[in-house]
Amino acid sequence: MTMNKYLVYTTYGWLTLSGTLHFLIDVVSHVLRGKHPPGPETTLYYGLNTAFALGQVVLGLLGLFLAWRAMDVVTALPVQVLTLAAGLGWLAVTFLFMGYWEPKLNVGIFCALALAALVLR
């Protein structure tokens, strides 16, 4: 159980960290530098990246909180399957709507960690 516990913490911690960094790099830094001119494309760019990153942060923080308070809930099969499904959904979004590789790598690592936690439960 100890290895699985650390794997669960790593999985949700990675999701929180990568989502936070994605938001800071692709939204906050672009706004501060004025990288995109005002317009519908810019609104869609910021909206997609904000929803993508903050969704990861919220699920990551929720997972960390639940792991800290009720590890048996987080390691239950339905929760781990939903976690992996969320990761696969984010991975699909990266391949369909994001042209750069960094989000694909971050979500791919999360999916690999979630799959390892599921297999080693």
Side-chain angles (χ1 to χ4, degrees):
M1 181 66 177
T2 303
M3 181 178 152
N4 194 25
K5 178 176 85 170
Y6 291 125
L7 194 54
V8 167
Y9 280 123
T10 303
T11 301
Y12 289 111
W14 175 259
L15 188 63
T16 303
L17 175 67
S18 65
T20 301
L21 291 175
H22 181 96
F23 182 72
L24 291 174
I25 292 167
D26 282 341
V27 178
V28 174
S29 74
H30 285 214
V31 169
L32 293 177
R33 292 183 293 153
K35 188 156 177 151
H36 301 283
E41 294 86 9
T42 300
T43 302
L44 289 173
Y45 174 85
Y46 288 138
L48 172 69
N49 284 290
T50 299
F52 183 85
L54 293 182
Q56 287 182 336
V57 171
V58 167
L59 182 67
L61 289 175
L62 178 65
L64 285 172
F65 177 75
L66 281 176
W68 176 51
R69 301 292 284 177
M71 182 61 77
D72 56 329
V73 172
V74 178
T75 56
L77 183 61
V79 174
Q80 288 191 328
V81 169
L82 283 173
T83 299
L84 187 58
L88 293 174
W90 278 312
L91 198 57
V93 169
T94 64
F95 279 101
L96 292 173
F97 302 109
M98 295 180 176
Y100 39 99
W101 62 270
E102 291 88 351
K104 294 176 181 72
L105 176 66
N106 290 336
V107 175
I109 291 170
F110 169 72
C111 287
L113 288 168
L115 183 62
L118 178 66
V119 170
L120 297 175
R121 54 184 292 274

